[in-house]
């Protein structure tokens, strides 16, 4: 059996231009952004035009020997459906792309159905950015959400969802899972592993069609930094709870690549002496290939660096 590396949590955009909680997010020169009133390094500084394109990502993927990637969306990047449709058309063997509409207010159902009708095989819900106030909370198990999830289940579409810290939304997700047992769900950000109660999100993967992906885990353990030994221990702890066949690697490209290289976002796993080869293969690609239904993938040879 050939083993491939697959990234299950990445982002692409042509331009970030949106408003979240009344505060703008706009590109600045040299990979920076006006992020809700604060200047932040959103991209590596050599991406001077603020464009985070599939072609640049593919160059990183080829160099790092990553065969395929799942592209999810986030409200802080703005809706990128039109661009991601083109990406899927141009590179169907390398990318699985998810659609997104504004799930932050009622009335999203027709737009979400339209994305499925247009060919998206998955949808992303940034659940951690849904309104959580006493009077305006958007529940993941609301009637409108449940109608969407049942339609996704019927069509075989995949839900990628990130949840608020700890167990703030896990009860809602358990109801979704119980009501839609055949809906394939990928829980993002490894349950926000560095926050209290993160294991409650991991436990959702006890269900047959629920997986957990590690997008952003190097960001969450950034204060410790490479080679992220606490991240390796957290992955082992999660596997002890739900099994190695329920966990998938994700990078959260490109934001995490401002601190480390793309290869570093997974090779702390390949170089770890705490994990077996079988565990590494399952986590880094085998599970994702089956879950997302990737077909023929490219064999990417290692290219020696000039510094070697």
């Amino acid at each position: 059996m050939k083993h491939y590396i697959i990234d299950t949590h990445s982002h692409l955009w042509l331009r970030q231009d949106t408003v979240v909680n009344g505060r703008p997010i706009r590109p600045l020169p040299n990979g920076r952004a006006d992020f809700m009133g604060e200047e932040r390094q959103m991209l590596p500084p050599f991406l001077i035009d603020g464009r985070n394109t599939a072609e640049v990502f593919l160059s990183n993927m080829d160099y790092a020997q990553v065969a395929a990637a799942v592209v999810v969306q986030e409200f802080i990047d703005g809706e990128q459906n039109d661009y991601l449709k083109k990406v899927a058309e141009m590179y169907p063997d390398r990318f699985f792309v998810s659609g997104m509409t504004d799930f932050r207010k009622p009335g999203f159902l027709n737009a979400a159905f339209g994305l499925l009708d247009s060919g998206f095989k998955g949808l992303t819900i940034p659940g951690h950015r849904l309104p959580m106030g006493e009077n305006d909370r958007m529940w993941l198990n609301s009637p409108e959400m449940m109608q969407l999830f049942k339609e996704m289940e019927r069509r075989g579409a995949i839900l990628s969802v990130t949840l608020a810290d700890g167990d703030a939304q896990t009860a809602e997700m358990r109801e979704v899972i119980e009501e839609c047992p055949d809906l394939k769900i990928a829980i993002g950000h490894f349950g926000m592993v560095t926050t209290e109660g993160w294991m409650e999100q991991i436990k959702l993967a006890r269900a047959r069609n629920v997986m957990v992906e590690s997008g952003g885990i190097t960001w969450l353990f950034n204060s410790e930094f490479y080679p992220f030994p606490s991240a390796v221990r957290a992955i082992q702890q999660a596997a002890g709870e739900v099994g190695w066949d329920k966990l998938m690697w994700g990078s959260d490209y490109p934001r995490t690549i401002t601190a480390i290289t793309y290869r570093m976002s997974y090779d702390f796993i390949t170089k770890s002496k705490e994990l077996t080869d079988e565990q590494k293969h399952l986590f880094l690609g085998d599970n994702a290939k089956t879950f997302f239904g990737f077909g023929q993938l490219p064999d990417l040879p290692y290219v020696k660096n000039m510094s070697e």
Side-chain angles (χ1 to χ4, degrees):
M1 176 181 176
K2 289 185 177 179
H3 301 285
Y4 297 92
I5 300 175
I6 297 173
D7 188 343
T8 60
H9 190 119
S10 65
H11 303 277
L12 294 174
W13 62 78
L14 287 183
R15 177 180 171 83
Q16 282 183 308
D17 190 356
T18 190
V19 175
V20 174
N21 297 331
R23 293 178 289 179
I25 301 170
R26 304 280 188 268
L28 297 173
N30 302 327
R32 298 175 183 176
D34 176 358
F35 185 75
M36 302 185 185
E38 180 183 1
E39 186 169 332
R40 300 289 289 272
Q41 192 71 45
M42 184 69 66
L43 295 167
F46 51 79
L47 296 179
I48 60 176
D49 60 0
R51 289 162 55 91
N52 170 36
T53 66
E55 288 72 27
V56 171
F57 190 22
L58 280 169
S59 180
N60 274 282
M61 290 167 62
D62 289 351
Y63 170 76
Q65 298 174 282
V66 174
V70 177
V71 183
V72 297
Q73 297 195 55
E74 235 276 25
F75 294 141
I76 65 172
D77 301 328
E79 176 261 297
Q80 303 290 332
N81 294 320
D82 290 343
Y83 178 54
L84 294 187
K85 284 181 189 177
K86 294 178 182 178
V87 169
E89 291 170 0
M90 291 188 292
Y91 310 107
D93 298 329
R94 303 297 299 276
F95 292 114
F96 180 104
V97 302
S98 290
M100 183 187 75
T101 190
D102 194 345
F103 296 104
R104 292 169 292 187
K105 51 189 177 183
F108 57 77
L109 197 58
N110 286 339
F113 284 172
L115 292 173
L116 297 173
D117 290 339
S118 71
F120 279 102
K121 298 178 182 178
L123 297 179
T124 302
I125 297 181
H128 62 307
R129 298 197 191 276
L130 297 178
M132 296 283 288
E134 183 177 346
N135 298 320
D136 65 347
R137 180 159 180 165
M138 281 296 298
W139 297 87
L140 289 167
N141 57 351
S142 71
E144 190 173 19
M145 285 284 192
M146 294 302 294
Q147 190 174 347
L148 171 61
F149 295 147
K150 290 186 177 187
E151 180 61 17
M152 291 178 67
E153 179 185 38
R154 186 185 72 82
R155 297 188 189 214
I158 296 176
L159 171 65
S160 293
V161 59
T162 50
L163 302 178
D165 291 358
D167 63 353
Q169 294 172 311
T170 53
E172 300 161 52
M173 282 306 305
R174 280 195 294 271
E175 182 175 333
V176 172
I177 293 164
E178 290 170 3
E179 290 291 319
C180 305
D182 293 321
L183 175 63
K184 297 175 77 173
I185 302 172
I187 305 293
H189 290 169
F190 217 69
M192 291 301 290
V193 57
T194 53
T195 63
E196 185 177 355
W198 69 280
M199 188 56 72
E200 294 307 304
Q201 295 190 33
I202 303 298
K203 290 176 183 177
L204 294 171
R206 290 171 174 170
R208 175 170 51 90
N209 280 324
V210 181
M211 304 285 282
V212 174
E213 46 93 340
S214 72
I217 197 167
T218 59
W219 151 61
L220 290 164
F221 286 100
N222 184 63
S223 60
E224 178 182 83
F225 206 65
Y226 188 89
F228 308 108
S230 295
V232 173
R233 288 192 292 270
I235 292 166
Q236 290 175 304
Q237 183 179 351
E241 186 69 44
V242 299
W244 280 100
D245 60 333
K246 305 308 293 286
L247 307 178
M248 305 181 292
W249 169 67
S251 70
D252 209 4
Y253 176 98
R255 281 179 271 272
T256 50
I257 313 306
T258 58
I260 57 175
T261 68
Y262 186 47
R263 184 183 291 274
M264 288 167 71
S265 67
Y266 76 79
D267 77 354
F268 74 96
I269 295 293
T270 61
K271 293 176 179 177
S272 173
K273 296 180 180 179
E274 307 301 317
L275 307 176
T276 68
D277 286 345
E278 180 183 5
Q279 291 166 349
K280 293 173 184 179
H281 291 319
L282 289 170
F283 182 69
L284 290 176
D286 290 358
N287 292 337
K289 190 175 189 296
T290 300
F291 186 75
F292 287 98
F294 284 103
Q296 185 66 36
L297 294 173
D299 293 318
L300 301 170
Y302 178 77
V303 177
K304 190 175 181 179
N305 290 323
M306 283 295 294
S307 59
E308 293 182 78

